[in-house]
Amino acid sequence: MLIRNAEIGCGLRCVDLRIDGVRIVEVDECLQPLAGEAVVEARGHALVPGLHDHHLHLYATAAAMRSLDCGPPAVNDSDQLGSAIAGADAAGEGQWIRGTGYHESVAGSLDRTMLDLLAPRNPLRVQHRSGRLWIFNSRGLECLDVRDEDIGSDPLERVEGRMTGRLYDADTWLRSRIGGQRPEMGALSRRLARLGITGVTDTGHANDRAVLAAMKDSVASGELRQQLAVMGDASLDLAEPEALGARVIRGSHKFHLHDHDLPDFQATCEAIRRSHAAGRGAAFHCVTRGELVFALAVLAEAGTRGQDRIEHAGLVAPELIDELRRLRLRVVTQPQFVYERGDAYLRDVDAAEHAHLYRLRSFVDAHVPLAAGSDAPYGDPDPWKAMSSAVARRTRAGEPMTLGESLTPEQALDLFMSPLEDPGAPPRELKTGAWADLCLLDRPWSEARTALHEVVPRMTLIRGRVAWSADGFL
Ligand SMILES: [Zn+2]
């Protein structure tokens, strides 16, 4: 394939670019088409390396695409929640109704009794936006085969001996009860390709060797077309990275911290050391200050390697930025949370800590490697909206959130440009010999940079093959 007149380097120059097989083989001005070569006229539009989403949850996102949206902006109050669930219950035929994205701002703290009123007929489960809590109605609890009196035999919350319908941090148990049916990923892969995404990191902390094998199969079969890095639990220390093939990387050991229930310090240090010895990094979920302090302490004790990472870095006090740099950690954050969740943050987080929320520029200035991921399905998977939020730093209601943390459009793009195995490293370049993972935009960079949220990729190539084309070029 020959791509003609494409703007590369964020407006630096216009070139022609030849792809043969999985790689870029020539970048020059005025390349002539070879006999039988497909030609794409880029018309001066920006061509960038395919985007990498460095933090998402594939199965949950694929499942969410077939779920009822129960949170903002689609559902904002109890009336809207009621009509969404009641509609699904009326149409349901005894199958699970699966709701996602719930937040207390909609209708307070949900429980079984409230859900029974909305959905008396079908089993219903609603997931909290954090991903850590499911709430079931009574029909749902019946399907789980749990009873109020069986205290201690299941992880469901009980108050005065009665199940509230709430289930915290028990996805593995839940899967064992409702079947481990893995959602089909083809539709999600196509959706990501339309957004220009050519590589993703699944950051599930419970991913074990069976999940890794299943994801590898999804890539091998072509169902999932993106390059893939798979984080997971300690069992992946024993997986053989060489056996995963060229398209799948074994990712870091993911530690999912809970502020209120932190793991044993020494045991965590040992687990980090074992994963390091197996050639893996350690990745810590750190949303709160307490989680970050714990992660930094165990990493300081266990010793760090270049690939260790902090996920989210939701709340970072100034003195901890130095510690992140000293420990050579990298940060993978979600810039779009400022837009999506900023109004709730400004309301719920202590005003003195507003400046610590989802920082960007402070990390760049401190030379802490910084990359981004959507955290889909808990965040919007659209990286162009995330870039826009990284530049604007405005909430959905338009409130500014520490404008001093905003990035330039070029820095925002770079959050998605580093290699999957090296998030926060300098951006990949379109040059001879590079992988043909490409995203052609619908406008030149000079226009894209001022309206990032409006960007629509025209074409996405993954390893030289067209994964998406708005022009029907397939
Ligand atoms: Zn996540």
Side-chain angles (χ1 to χ4, degrees):
M1 177 187 285
L2 180 64
I3 302 176
R4 283 212 287 213
N5 191 26
E7 183 199 63
I8 64 170
C10 290
L12 193 66
R13 59 192 181 120
C14 270
V15 295
D16 297 346
L17 191 137
R18 172 165 286 131
I19 294 154
D20 191 6
V22 296
R23 292 189 188 272
I24 299 168
V25 294
E26 241 181 314
V27 180
D28 211 335
E29 280 149 37
C30 298
L31 294 176
Q32 294 306 314
L34 305 173
E37 191 171 43
V39 177
V40 173
E41 299 291 348
R43 306 196 297 271
H45 294 176
L47 183 70
V48 299
L51 279 65
H52 286 167
D53 185 327
H54 293 282
H55 182 129
L56 54 52
H57 303 271
L58 285 171
Y59 289 143
T61 307
M65 285 171 67
R66 291 193 300 275
S67 300
L68 197 62
D69 193 344
C70 291
V75 166
N76 300 294
D77 56 36
S78 52
D79 285 350
Q80 291 174 353
L81 180 71
S83 54
I85 291 179
D89 193 47
E93 291 166 0
Q95 303 297 317
W96 276 103
I97 302 167
R98 186 184 192 277
T100 54
Y102 185 75
H103 185 261
E104 290 79 5
S105 61
V106 175
S109 179
L110 282 186
D111 64 11
R112 164 189 186 177
T113 311
M114 293 166 73
L115 293 185
D116 283 346
L117 290 172
L118 302 176
R121 298 178 54 217
N122 295 283
L124 164 70
R125 65 186 197 272
V126 177
Q127 188 184 39
H128 189 267
R129 187 175 74 179
S130 64
R132 311 186 80 158
L133 166 65
W134 284 101
I135 309 113
F136 297 82
N137 69 351
S138 293
R139 298 299 300 271
L141 293 173
E142 283 169 26
C143 292
L144 297 179
D145 195 22
V146 291
R147 277 165 293 277
D148 287 331
E149 56 274 22
D150 297 345
I151 296 169
S153 65
D154 62 65
L156 280 138
E157 181 186 74
R158 287 175 177 74
V159 172
E160 293 171 355
R162 185 174 190 270
M163 290 186 287
T164 61
R166 288 192 280 262
L167 177 69
Y168 288 93
D169 291 312
D171 278 355
T172 307
W173 178 86
L174 181 58
R175 216 171 293 131
S176 74
R177 287 293 163 123
I178 59 178
Q181 196 81 343
R182 298 208 164 90
E184 196 274 336
M185 289 205 281
L188 170 58
S189 182
R190 288 190 291 278
R191 183 176 174 201
L192 295 172
R194 288 177 76 122
L195 294 168
I197 296 170
T198 64
V200 298
T201 296
D202 189 287
T203 54
H205 69 284
N207 290 341
D208 57 13
R209 295 176 72 179
V211 171
L212 179 63
M215 287 190 176
K216 179 195 162 199
D217 288 348
S218 298
V219 171
S221 71
E223 183 183 326
L224 185 70
R225 304 189 59 177
Q226 280 76 14
Q227 311 301 312
L228 174 63
V230 183
M231 285 192 189
D233 64 16
S235 75
L236 300 194
D237 289 354
L238 302 171
E240 289 169 29
E242 311 75 37
L244 293 174
R247 307 271 306 275
V248 181
I249 306 167
R250 181 184 62 160
S252 298
H253 185 170
K254 174 81 180 290
F255 294 84
H256 204 48
L257 302 178
H258 313 207
D259 223 358
H260 57 280
D261 185 22
L262 292 169
D264 180 75
F265 188 90
Q266 285 306 335
T268 307
C269 289
E270 287 305 314
I272 294 170
R273 290 193 188 105
R274 278 194 299 275
S275 292
H276 281 170
R280 298 170 78 197
F284 281 82
H285 163 102
C286 295
V287 173
T288 67
R289 178 181 168 83
E291 289 162 0
L292 181 60
V293 168
F294 179 87
L296 295 177
V298 284
L299 284 163
E301 174 70 18
T304 55
R305 293 166 57 109
Q307 72 263 53
D308 296 329
R309 43 195 273 184
I310 300 296
E311 307 299 309
H312 313 302
L315 209 53
V316 181
E319 65 274 17
L320 298 182
I321 298 172
D322 289 338
E323 187 66 359
L324 285 163
R325 179 181 42 200
R326 195 183 70 77
L327 292 172
R328 295 184 302 134
L329 296 169
R330 54 189 76 208
V331 168
V332 176
T333 189
Q334 287 75 44
Q336 86 281 14
F337 281 178
V338 169
Y339 174 77
E340 292 175 6
R341 306 181 175 187
D343 293 304
Y345 292 147
L346 293 178
R347 193 177 58 233
D348 301 340
V349 175
D350 191 12
E353 290 187 319
H354 284 178
H356 306 171
L357 281 162
Y358 287 93
R359 294 173 180 276
L360 298 169
R361 179 166 292 280
S362 293
F363 296 133
V364 173
D365 289 349
H367 303 289
V368 172
L370 182 66
S374 63
D375 203 15
Y378 315 113
D380 188 326
D382 186 341
W384 304 98
K385 288 185 189 158
M387 287 178 221
S388 176
S389 180
V391 174
R393 297 280 303 184
R394 299 237 168 217
T395 70
R396 202 185 294 275
E399 291 296 320
M401 201 163 116
T402 8
L403 297 180
E405 291 292 343
S406 77
L407 299 180
T408 67
E410 291 73 22
Q411 289 171 325
L413 179 67
D414 285 353
L415 297 175
F416 297 90
M417 291 287 113
S418 50
L420 281 183
E421 66 279 13
D422 200 4
R428 289 136 57 228
E429 286 177 44
L430 300 182
K431 58 185 182 188
T432 302
W435 295 114
D437 292 338
L438 304 172
C439 172
L440 176 63
L441 308 193
D442 61 345
R443 61 196 81 193
W445 182 251
S446 59
E447 293 172 23
R449 73 188 301 283
T450 57
L452 286 164
H453 58 286
E454 290 175 5
V455 166
V456 180
R458 260 178 66 195
M459 186 172 76
T460 303
L461 295 187
I462 303 180
R463 292 295 194 262
R465 296 182 60 180
V466 178
W468 156 249
S469 168
D471 309 330
F473 193 98
L474 284 163

